[in-house]
Amino acid sequence: MRKTILMAVLTAAPMLSCANNGPAEEAWTLNTIADARSGIATPVDVDPPGDSPGDMFVFDQPLLNEAKETIGSNSGYCVRTLPGQFSECQWTLTMADGTITVAGREAETGTSLIPIIGGTGTYEGASGVLTTTPNGDRTFTQVLTLLKPKK
């Protein structure tokens, strides 16, 4: 009897976890440019000297729209995890209508996909992904695909 009940619970569990009883989500895109050419960009080198695990990079830089006008700031930090290849990063895009915070693994080169972990103001309850691509001129194109619960 106990085995039958356990099997029934285990069989039903996947169906229960797939149920969506909350409000539908609204998807939208926000395009920004992080400008690393100005603002604060401070490396923190820990032993051993040079590019090594635990090194940090702290930044507070202008956030631009597609017309390259300042719309806020792009502030955060990265901790080197795999020298020359990856860092674990967290940063916040701050704009007049709220903030969006992202955190995840960023590649040294190429495009990285970073999870959106939350927001405030207009972006309260936001989730999704930020796609960041270096442009070769110390700017980064950031495309945020946001999922925001409809209220």
Side-chain angles (χ1 to χ4, degrees):
M1 170 90 169
R2 192 178 280 182
K3 186 176 180 181
T4 305
I5 292 172
L6 179 59
M7 287 302 292
V9 170
L10 291 175
T11 304
M15 289 185 284
L16 294 173
S17 66
C18 292
N20 182 4
N21 297 324
E25 292 181 323
E26 176 184 357
W28 48 290
T29 302
L30 174 64
N31 297 313
T32 64
I33 300 169
D35 187 357
R37 298 172 297 185
S38 59
I40 298 167
T42 306
V44 179
D45 191 13
V46 299
D47 285 335
D51 191 10
S52 60
D55 287 352
M56 238 178 151
F57 184 73
V58 181
F59 57 93
D60 190 328
Q61 302 158 343
L63 183 65
L64 311 174
N65 62 16
E66 292 176 290
K68 298 193 176 163
E69 302 163 326
T70 300
I71 58 169
S73 65
N74 196 65
S75 310
Y77 60 89
C78 293
V79 177
R80 177 65 84 195
T81 54
L82 188 57
Q85 295 184 37
F86 296 103
S87 293
E88 189 67 24
C89 301
Q90 180 174 324
W91 69 90
T92 301
L93 293 79
T94 302
M95 297 157 284
D97 59 349
T99 65
I100 300 169
T101 299
V102 301
R105 189 176 199 193
E106 185 173 25
E108 184 73 20
T109 60
T111 298
S112 298
L113 302 174
I114 312 290
I116 296 170
I117 61 172
T120 65
T122 299
Y123 313 101
E124 183 177 350
S127 62
V129 66
L130 175 143
T131 303
T132 181
T133 306
N135 296 322
D137 63 354
R138 297 193 59 226
T139 66
F140 297 80
T141 298
Q142 301 178 133
V143 178
L144 295 97
T145 304
L146 296 139
L147 296 175
K148 185 174 160 196
K150 288 185 179 177
K151 294 184 179 190

